[in-house]
Amino acid sequence: MHLLDAVRLAFQTLRVQKLKSFFTLAGVTIGVMFLIAVVSIVEGMSSYMENDFVAKLIGVNTFQLRRFPMISDASESEWREWVRRPRITFDDAREVAAALPEEALWSVESSDNIPIESRFSRPRALEATAIDGDYFRIRNMEISLGRLISPQELTLGTRVAVIGEEIATRFFPRLNPIGRTLKVGGTSYEVIGVAAKQGSIFGMSMDRFVITSANAPLQRLVNPHNLIDGMKIKMPTTDGMFEARETVRQVMRGRHKLRPSQKDNFVMETSESALEFWRKIEGNLVIAGVILPAIALIVGAMVIMNIMLVAVSERTREIGIRKAIGAKYRDILAQFLVEATTLSIMGAAIGVALGIILSQTIAALSPLPAAVAPWSIVAGILVGAGVGVIAGVYPASRAARLDPIVALRAE
Amino acid sequence: MTPGATEISGPGDPGLSTTAERRIVIGDAGGAPDKEWVIVARGLTREYDMGGEIVRALRGVDIAIRRNEYVAIMGPSGSGKSTLMNLVGCLDTPTAGEYWLNGMLVSEMNDDELARIRNREIGFVFQTFNLLPRASALHNVELPLVYGGVPATERRKRAAEALDSVGLADRKNHRPNELSGGQRQRVAIARALVNRPSILLADEPTGNLDSTTSAEIMNVFEQLAASGQTVIMVTHEADIAAHAKRVVVLRDGMVESDDRREKFATRMNG
Ligand SMILES: Nc1ncnc2c1ncn2[C@@H]1O[C@H](COP(=O)(O)OP(=O)(O)O)[C@@H](O)[C@H]1O
Ligand SMILES: [Mg+2]
């Protein structure tokens, strides 16, 4: 018997037993649905992390020199070692900048939550950043209103600020903030630019910031004298970045007077190294996201196996008739296997559809991004087929082994 | 021996009732029979183990059937008729003895080979029709061709022809429950014939039918036999058996008599 005949036969049977088939599908449908949803969300977060989050935080061909990693799941002992490390200073930054090739872009930055207020709003502690160097170019920051802080203003410490969109609407509701005064840590700054909207990451607004020169009074509020949070270095090429990283390492090791046997007591993070942390979480999420659907699929397989066993005993006579007119072992085996597999593939297909709907709904209702991966659709269908085959083997072989005479006598 | 009987049964003819003469045809165990014999069974035995108690349904049946013969098998209930038919129809395998079908030693075959023989060589008509209830008449008739690997278009054509030949051309798309008993049995006959089998077996094909319908169905078998189809039929009605050219009577799992119809009729009348 040909596969096509077996599939046609399976559909005939399913059509006749609609209700029973529906219940048979449920387990597989639910399993595949969750599989698709979880994979989509992890996948969505993953592409988000790789394309947006880390790129916004660090950027391409860029690395940042810091005392310890920005994102990590460090252990207690690692933490203790980190907090003993010397902090990065302006003097470090100056020496590093001097050692870098001409084409390098660099910036220093220090941030903290600082009370901010304007004539139009009550004070509130929000993130303020004191910067110097090529900060705006490294971050690719676009301006939607006004202008950026000029190099001269940065050097002179002119009391001007570039603010995020959310700061603009909060402190200058329905007003043009350009030229108006914003008090940051008690000092008045003139707002000269509003940055283009950045959106949010996992529900955290990226438009809630105030930027001033590191030579302005803000610097003293965010960091003790001469200290900075870190330094960013961007090179035109990836190779250049790795070379620059070596240069910076040598300068910093020299400044920290490290002996060759000692490890670096600073980090130079690229977007890749920040991503490693995410990949660790991702792995755990995927495992959790696979175990849940796996349970549903096992239940689904057991349901299918049971339904098929019932089907075999209900259709013993039919099997007898088929064998009497020449069906071989493998014809009957194929018939029931294809039936079980068709069932579970249909369940999986419905699960894929529901999973896509579910992940889109989650993406719409929560800050979690979701991207349906094509491979997860294929995997969902294959998993469905696999469940069908596994669940179908035993009932199908029981059917195929039936003795024709015994089967014919069944009622 | 009557002169008439001698005339019909030449040397090697199984229609002789004495053991000595039958042995001439049946031959010795292990030897392949001549081509003209569709069926040769030697010492066919079938025992059922009913939880320690052995039921001996057939105890050494010798039978040989020539191509184009029309044979009725008779005997009281429980005498082993169905058991014999199931063995001849390759639905079952003997506990002992050998069975040759078309020169092939069927009693030594495995399940898949038997399935192939059932598909290619045998058409079986049952008392209870044994049609697939959810399938149309056409699909029921098509089924042996499906397992025979015949392409869809050809098998539809051949199934339609087979239905046509039993006078059901206009019932192709009816399901069994939309057909009368006689029509169902015609569908079953069409199914049995669609693979052009070398033997057509029928185990009490009219057992579930009223007398008028029975006569119609017997007519179908009669015509098939007349057209050269080898037919073996189990029945316990003497007037139905009278249609056959040869009658084999079983009793207690053994051949009680195996004779030409004429001879049987004489015995019945006398
Ligand atoms: N599957 C079976 N298991 C046990 N005994 C059986 C089985 N089939 C038939 N028999 C026994 O074998 C004998 C012959 O049965 P059967 O061939 O059906 O007789 P008939 O068809 O002549 O009425 C009976 O005694 C019956 O009870
Ligand atoms: Mg019987």
Side-chain angles (χ1 to χ4, degrees):
Chain A
M1 183 162 62
H2 292 115
L3 185 64
L4 202 65
D5 290 316
V7 173
R8 201 176 297 146
L9 182 63
F11 273 109
Q12 270 168 16
T13 313
L14 300 186
R15 216 172 27 238
V16 175
Q17 309 186 325
K18 283 189 200 77
L19 191 69
K20 197 186 284 172
S21 304
F22 172 78
F23 282 111
T24 313
L25 299 182
V28 178
T29 300
I30 291 169
V32 170
M33 177 179 82
F34 280 120
L35 187 73
I36 297 281
V38 168
V39 167
S40 301
I41 287 165
V42 171
E43 207 46 26
M45 277 173 69
S46 188
S47 79
Y48 195 73
M49 289 301 274
E50 288 177 24
N51 303 332
D52 291 306
F53 186 66
V54 175
K56 267 180 196 165
L57 245 46
I58 300 181
V60 257
N61 296 337
T62 304
F63 65 93
Q64 56 182 2
L65 168 67
R66 294 177 74 93
R67 188 154 67 129
F68 45 76
M70 192 165 52
I71 320 170
S72 83
D73 56 348
S75 66
E76 204 47 50
S77 61
E78 277 178 300
W79 261 111
R80 273 199 297 276
E81 191 262 320
W82 287 354
V83 294
R84 279 201 307 270
R85 288 178 172 186
R87 300 198 51 166
I88 314 283
T89 67
F90 275 110
D91 298 328
D92 293 335
R94 261 189 291 278
E95 197 166 320
V96 164
L100 286 170
E102 191 138 345
E103 65 272 22
L105 298 177
W106 61 267
S107 70
V108 297
E109 59 183 271
S110 309
S111 310
D112 206 347
N113 279 349
I114 300 293
I116 295 171
E117 59 178 304
S118 76
R119 275 176 53 202
F120 311 99
S121 171
R122 284 183 295 127
R124 190 159 171 219
L126 290 165
E127 188 181 81
T129 306
I131 58 127
D132 201 357
D134 307 305
Y135 180 87
F136 296 113
R137 282 176 70 192
I138 292 175
R139 275 199 64 174
N140 271 332
M141 190 173 277
E142 303 273 338
I143 238 49
S144 67
L145 221 53
R147 61 178 178 84
L148 294 169
I149 305 174
S150 72
Q152 292 89 331
E153 286 166 328
L154 286 177
T155 313
L156 293 171
T158 315
R159 293 174 190 190
V160 291
V162 169
I163 59 176
E165 168 129 337
E166 203 180 309
I167 300 289
T169 45
R170 172 189 288 274
F171 291 96
F172 306 100
R174 285 185 297 279
L175 292 171
N176 182 349
I178 304 299
R180 296 189 189 271
T181 302
L182 189 68
K183 269 194 165 174
V184 182
T187 308
S188 295
Y189 290 82
E190 181 192 346
V191 176
I192 57 165
V194 177
K197 196 171 171 64
Q198 311 266 309
S200 66
I201 291 176
F202 307 132
M204 252 169 15
S205 170
M206 296 296 283
D207 298 301
R208 206 181 286 165
F209 60 84
V210 175
I211 294 168
T212 75
S213 162
N215 297 313
L218 176 63
Q219 174 66 34
R220 288 197 302 277
L221 301 176
V222 293
N223 258 333
H225 179 68
N226 200 27
L227 298 183
I228 55 172
D229 286 357
M231 186 175 184
K232 267 195 187 128
I233 290 117
K234 181 178 172 118
M235 298 300 294
T237 64
T238 309
D239 286 346
M241 181 192 76
F242 284 114
E243 276 171 39
R245 227 155 65 126
E246 254 340 282
T247 310
V248 173
R249 166 174 287 129
Q250 294 318 322
V251 171
M252 287 307 294
R253 288 185 68 89
R255 286 189 63 82
H256 287 173
K257 300 190 171 58
L258 295 178
R259 275 174 273 116
S261 61
Q262 285 176 300
K263 284 200 283 183
D264 292 349
N265 55 1
F266 50 87
V267 293
M268 286 172 296
E269 282 186 302
T270 59
S271 52
E272 269 307 302
S273 53
L275 270 180
E276 264 163 39
F277 171 68
W278 158 246
R279 296 224 169 88
K280 262 187 242 165
I281 309 179
E282 187 188 25
N284 292 338
L285 281 176
V286 167
I287 289 167
V290 162
I291 287 173
L292 250 150
I295 293 170
L297 287 171
I298 289 169
V299 172
M302 279 165 19
V303 172
I304 290 184
M305 174 134 80
N306 258 302
I307 298 274
M308 292 310 292
L309 280 173
V310 171
V312 168
S313 69
E314 277 177 356
R315 284 153 63 192
T316 301
R317 177 130 186 177
E318 175 196 321
I319 296 161
I321 295 171
R322 288 178 184 277
K323 292 200 107 177
I325 59 173
K328 293 189 180 71
Y329 177 88
R330 68 176 137 83
D331 293 322
I332 303 293
L333 188 80
Q335 178 186 336
F336 283 90
L337 263 187
V338 167
E339 211 172 294
T341 309
T342 306
L343 259 177
S344 63
I345 287 181
M346 276 169 53
I350 297 172
V352 166
L354 291 179
I356 292 172
I357 294 172
L358 182 66
S359 55
Q360 298 303 330
T361 309
I362 291 174
L365 299 180
S366 77
L368 293 174
V372 176
W375 70 261
S376 72
I377 295 177
V378 176
I381 300 288
L382 286 181
V383 161
V387 165
V389 170
I390 290 168
V393 163
Y394 175 62
S397 78
R398 256 183 52 168
R401 273 201 308 268
L402 280 173
D403 180 79
I405 299 198
V406 174
L408 275 174
R409 218 180 280 131
E411 204 28 78
Chain B
M1 190 180 296
T2 63
T6 320
E7 198 185 287
I8 315 162
S9 29
D13 193 294
L16 298 170
S17 47
T18 72
T19 314
E21 283 173 303
R22 201 157 52 232
R23 186 154 292 137
I24 299 168
V25 182
I26 306 292
D28 295 323
D34 282 349
K35 275 212 191 81
E36 67 188 292
W37 303 101
V38 175
I39 286 168
V40 170
R42 297 172 178 132
L44 217 50
T45 303
R46 182 66 168 99
E47 293 170 349
Y48 296 101
D49 188 347
M50 300 298 286
E53 198 197 331
I54 306 290
V55 178
R56 304 178 70 193
L58 283 185
R59 7 178 141 200
V61 168
D62 293 336
I63 195 166
I65 294 171
R66 219 195 278 268
R67 213 170 292 287
N68 304 346
E69 267 195 294
Y70 184 9
V71 181
I73 296 181
M74 295 189 73
S77 177
S79 58
K81 305 181 297 292
S82 294
T83 305
L84 178 61
M85 288 300 265
N86 291 341
L87 289 175
V88 169
C90 297
L91 286 166
D92 198 6
T93 44
T95 318
E98 61 185 56
Y99 169 31
W100 295 84
L101 174 67
N102 278 330
M104 296 174 288
L105 188 55
V106 171
S107 46
E108 301 288 305
M109 287 183 174
N110 66 26
D111 287 352
D112 274 0
E113 289 167 329
L114 287 174
R116 207 180 126 89
I117 296 287
R118 289 198 292 273
N119 187 245
R120 302 277 164 93
E121 307 285 344
I122 289 161
F124 211 124
V125 177
F126 302 88
Q127 179 176 356
T128 52
F129 320 129
N130 278 336
L131 299 173
L132 294 186
R134 289 194 294 259
S136 67
L138 188 74
H139 186 73
N140 266 293
V141 176
E142 241 186 285
L143 216 50
L145 301 173
V146 170
Y147 293 117
V150 178
T153 41
E154 194 195 330
R155 70 183 186 229
R156 219 151 290 147
K157 184 169 143 279
R158 275 169 63 179
E161 283 167 6
L163 276 175
D164 200 13
S165 75
V166 293
L168 285 180
D170 56 343
R171 294 288 188 275
K172 281 192 194 71
N173 298 317
H174 289 54
R175 288 181 178 195
N177 63 5
E178 297 161 341
L179 297 171
S180 72
Q183 288 172 327
R184 286 182 210 183
Q185 199 57 301
R186 282 168 193 266
V187 173
I189 293 170
R191 180 180 65 186
L193 292 173
V194 76
N195 251 352
R196 302 180 192 114
S198 36
I199 50 173
L200 178 61
L201 303 177
D203 190 351
E204 302 194 38
T206 59
N208 279 11
L209 302 174
D210 61 52
S211 53
T212 324
T213 318
S214 292
E216 281 170 28
I217 293 297
M218 287 317 298
N219 214 20
V220 174
F221 281 104
E222 190 95 336
Q223 280 169 15
L224 285 168
S227 71
Q229 173 73 52
T230 311
V231 177
I232 305 170
M233 181 190 299
V234 171
T235 178
H236 44 219
E237 289 174 61
D239 58 328
I240 288 180
H243 291 280
K245 296 281 184 293
R246 174 181 165 194
V247 174
V248 175
V249 179
L250 295 186
R251 186 178 295 275
D252 294 333
M254 291 190 287
V255 178
E256 188 191 57
S257 70
D258 177 355
D259 221 335
R260 298 268 171 199
R261 183 186 62 79
E262 290 90 336
K263 211 173 167 188
F264 185 78
T266 318
R267 191 178 300 157
M268 291 292 283
N269 298 336

